[in-house]
Amino acid sequence: GCVLVVSVVEQLAQWHNSTVKAAMERLCNYIPGKYQIIRHMLCCIDREMNADVVCHSLKLCKQDPGQQLCHLYLPPKVSWFSTIFKATDCGSFMGFSSICAFPLLANLCEKIKYVIRNKLPFEDFDGDKFSTFPTLRGYHWRGRDCNDKNTTVYPGRRPDNWDVKIDSNCNGIWGVDPKDGIPYEEKFCKGADSQGVMLLGDSAGAHFHIPPEWMTVTQMSAKSFANLPMAFTDELDWPQFSEITGFLNSTIGGWTDSLYLRLRRRNRCNHRDLQNISQNGGSSGNLLYLIKSLARNQLLDNPAIVIYATIGNDVCNGNRDTLSHMTTPKEMFSSVVEALRYLDSRLPNGSHVILTGLVDGRFLWDNLHDRYHPLGQLNRDVTYSQLYSFLDCLQVSPCSGWLTPNETLRNLTSERALQLSNVLKEIARSEKFANFDIFYMDFPLRQTAEEWRRMGGEPWQLIEPVDGFHPSQIAAALGTSITWEKALREWPQVLGKENPFNDQIEAIFKDQGGH
């Protein structure tokens, strides 16, 4: 983070032919709230030291005794030691707790700590796990609550008395048709196979994204940072645009297509019935805790389609001995079966679970390693290979096994990923549960890349440009199409039947002033 900020300030000064101080002021004017932590770096940058030196001097970079200093840029011509020694009077930070001491950030930090700990909406007045607030695990992550003062009203429940008087499931359908006295919910949704969609996943499912315009100085303006507060309070995730639960038009490139939107088009009664129960770093092991934040009442709610998709973190870590920290097939089997047993105790009868295999991450190095990262585009001095090595040195790489020039290690990581996918495939074939049927699907990366090439695109555009690791908005939208077509072809019972009353529902909804 420090290297990123300092690099941007230096490049802003270069691009606008200004002093570093003027560039700092420019950046601070762009960023909402004028985050004070950035100003603390100014004295060191003024010494014309590069970002690596500044951030090491502030003691923000992990450094093991005897380890060579990690750097993203070429080392200074003078020795590292003497350069950093000159910068030591700039002070240092003590990590997250000190950042949260700033008055502008203290309240936000407390909210984020609560959300990270509980994975539940921070603003949920009736305690039903649904919210009227978008971020901090609000309705960007779960269907929007339509009455946050009534714990019996929330998305996904079966209608209470056919919703004659109130909209108990927040799908916008309630009241009685004056022509025949039949409740609209009964007329249009009875027997319609209404069901929600839920994702149990990792940062790819949560749709992690850092906007490239935050660090591309040739395109930077105040508009670039307008969504920064929202991004931070969503943990730099954008579930509202994601492959499984996306429901808003994308503002981060590409387009939004999702399993939820397609289920909603298939049956308008499914409106708002979505949950994205994902976290950055999610794996088969820590999903056992995360899954407990899922909201579904076995007796009162509609069935659901649950997508279980931890596509990388069981083989991805930042450890130097990365292979020894990967999930074993035995551990994978145990964790997934335990999660499925928990789902069996929570999901209404008639639900479905789809297990998604792990990705083959060799795609990342093959398509990005020699391209310039957004930080390196101005001076053509930072490639993805350099970025990967820098993160690996700091032991914060999202995946040391795939983001590496070591081809043997990349192959071994993919071999383990395939072994774990085969475990999921075997579970889907052999395990049986009372309240849902279970299916397996390979992660559709190869098909997505082929489809994108047919559309005239390049494979590297399917990867997030800043982190060089996650699927991009384009990849998410294309993946939805491939997943949906497979389900239509092979598992039509999972998607439910198409509601013949969709047009009437939309017409009445518009007449009532709905949105």
Side-chain angles (χ1 to χ4, degrees):
C2 174
V3 169
L4 164 64
V5 172
V6 176
S7 298
V8 167
V9 170
E10 290 175 335
Q11 291 184 26
L12 273 173
Q14 177 185 347
W15 180 248
H16 293 281
N17 194 26
S18 70
T19 65
V20 169
K21 184 176 181 179
M24 175 68 73
E25 291 301 321
R26 183 186 297 273
L27 181 61
C28 288
N29 287 332
Y30 288 162
I31 296 176
K34 298 180 181 288
Y35 292 103
Q36 299 174 36
I37 185 173
I38 298 174
R39 296 181 182 273
H40 193 75
M41 302 172 183
L42 181 57
C43 75
C44 286
I45 307 175
D46 253 353
R47 297 170 182 266
E48 298 182 355
M49 301 171 185
N50 73 25
D52 296 315
V53 174
V54 171
C55 296
H56 274 292
S57 71
L58 293 170
K59 297 181 174 60
L60 280 171
C61 299
K62 179 178 176 63
Q63 193 67 42
D64 292 336
Q67 177 193 335
Q68 184 179 358
L69 289 172
C70 303
H71 58 94
L72 185 60
Y73 299 94
L74 289 174
K77 294 180 180 179
V78 296
S79 74
W80 275 108
F81 177 80
S82 61
T83 310
I84 292 176
F85 181 78
K86 292 176 183 177
T88 54
D89 62 320
C90 294
S92 64
F93 290 119
M94 297 302 291
F96 186 73
S97 60
S98 290
I99 293 172
C100 289
F102 287 112
L104 288 174
L105 296 178
N107 190 42
L108 176 61
C109 284
E110 287 307 309
K111 289 185 176 182
I112 292 176
K113 285 179 186 177
Y114 171 89
V115 167
I116 289 175
R117 185 167 59 247
N118 297 286
K119 294 296 185 280
L120 292 170
F122 182 80
E123 295 198 11
D124 175 18
F125 297 108
D126 57 12
D128 59 10
K129 299 184 179 179
F130 294 91
S131 177
T132 59
F133 189 77
T135 63
L136 292 167
R137 293 278 164 166
Y139 68 77
H140 282 170
W141 299 82
R142 306 169 189 244
R144 185 171 183 167
D145 202 342
C146 52
N147 187 342
D148 208 17
K149 296 179 181 179
N150 187 338
T151 189
T152 66
V153 173
Y154 53 84
R157 71 162 297 173
R158 292 197 300 272
D160 180 24
N161 192 30
W162 293 116
D163 284 0
V164 169
K165 294 184 177 180
I166 64 168
D167 185 9
S168 67
N169 56 16
C170 300
N171 68 357
I173 304 169
W174 64 283
V176 176
D177 189 336
K179 296 176 183 177
D180 53 25
I182 300 175
Y184 288 120
E185 184 89 43
E186 181 180 7
K187 178 181 288 191
F188 297 137
C189 300
K190 184 179 181 180
D193 287 347
S194 298
Q195 58 185 343
V197 59
M198 304 176 180
L199 173 66
L200 297 172
D202 52 20
S203 52
H207 208 36
F208 185 87
H209 166 81
I210 298 176
E213 57 268 26
W214 288 3
M215 57 191 70
T216 309
V217 299
T218 57
Q219 305 169 12
M220 192 176 292
S221 67
K223 186 179 178 181
S224 305
F225 295 94
N227 54 17
L228 185 144
M230 181 189 71
F232 276 150
T233 50
D234 267 337
E235 303 158 57
L236 292 177
D237 296 322
W238 308 71
Q240 67 272 32
F241 307 141
S242 67
E243 179 177 349
I244 304 300
T245 63
F247 63 92
L248 293 178
N249 291 331
S250 173
T251 58
I252 57 174
W255 63 98
T256 300
D257 191 4
S258 71
L259 185 57
Y260 163 72
L261 284 176
R262 291 188 176 227
L263 283 170
R264 185 190 181 282
R265 284 198 296 269
R266 193 171 180 82
N267 179 8
R268 176 62 179 73
C269 303
N270 291 331
H271 182 53
R272 288 188 180 173
D273 195 357
L274 63 101
Q275 295 183 50
N276 192 315
I277 313 296
S278 301
Q279 72 174 13
N280 299 335
S283 66
S284 61
N286 54 33
L287 268 189
L288 293 174
Y289 173 76
L290 181 68
I291 199 173
K292 291 179 172 57
S293 66
L294 183 144
R296 213 62 171 185
N297 186 302
Q298 206 162 40
L299 300 177
L300 298 178
D301 298 347
N302 286 321
I305 302 173
V306 178
I307 313 296
Y308 184 104
T310 56
I311 67 171
N313 288 309
D314 283 284
V315 297
C316 286
N317 57 74
N319 296 290
R320 293 207 170 89
D321 54 342
T322 181
L323 289 170
S324 65
H325 287 81
M326 294 179 186
T327 301
T328 66
K330 183 178 179 181
E331 291 168 338
M332 187 76 168
F333 181 88
S334 175
S335 295
V336 174
V337 169
E338 185 178 343
L340 292 173
R341 286 173 181 159
Y342 181 86
L343 287 176
D344 202 30
S345 71
R346 293 295 188 276
L347 293 179
N349 189 262
S351 295
H352 312 277
V353 173
I354 299 174
L355 303 178
T356 304
L358 278 70
V359 70
D360 185 348
R362 288 175 292 193
F363 185 89
L364 303 168
W365 179 269
D366 292 346
N367 289 288
L368 278 187
H369 74 276
D370 56 353
R371 296 187 62 82
Y372 287 109
H373 184 268
L375 275 181
Q377 288 174 7
L378 180 64
N379 296 311
R380 303 177 72 82
D381 58 351
V382 178
T383 64
Y384 283 94
S385 175
Q386 290 170 266
L387 174 71
Y388 295 157
S389 296
F390 175 59
L391 297 176
D392 193 45
C393 179
L394 293 172
Q395 298 180 57
V396 295
S397 171
C399 197
S400 294
W402 276 324
L403 309 184
T404 173
N406 187 330
E407 184 179 7
T408 300
L409 184 55
R410 298 199 302 271
N411 291 338
L412 288 172
T413 303
S414 288
E415 183 181 317
R416 176 63 62 86
L418 180 60
Q419 291 171 359
L420 300 184
S421 294
N422 286 335
V423 169
L424 296 172
K425 192 180 299 185
E426 177 59 23
I427 289 173
R429 187 193 66 82
S430 62
E431 298 293 318
K432 304 297 179 186
F433 298 90
N435 290 306
F436 56 82
D437 47 13
I438 186 169
F439 306 88
Y440 170 82
M441 182 182 68
D442 286 320
F443 186 82
L445 178 60
R446 179 181 57 80
Q447 301 95 312
T448 301
E450 290 172 356
E451 179 64 22
W452 184 233
R453 285 192 184 97
R454 280 194 290 270
M455 295 171 68
E458 297 287 340
W460 59 267
Q461 294 169 314
L462 300 176
I463 309 169
E464 274 293 317
V466 172
D467 59 65
F469 180 65
H470 292 92
S472 68
Q473 185 68 37
I474 295 170
L478 288 176
T480 296
S481 175
I482 293 166
T483 301
W484 182 263
E485 291 302 320
K486 178 180 177 64
L488 274 181
R489 186 174 60 252
E490 299 181 20
W491 319 316
Q493 74 277 23
V494 171
L495 303 180
K497 55 194 176 190
E498 193 156 358
N499 191 334
F501 301 110
N502 282 335
D503 291 341
Q504 291 100 310
I505 294 171
E506 292 294 350
I508 291 176
F509 197 56
K510 288 178 181 177
D511 287 344
Q512 292 176 342
H515 299 284

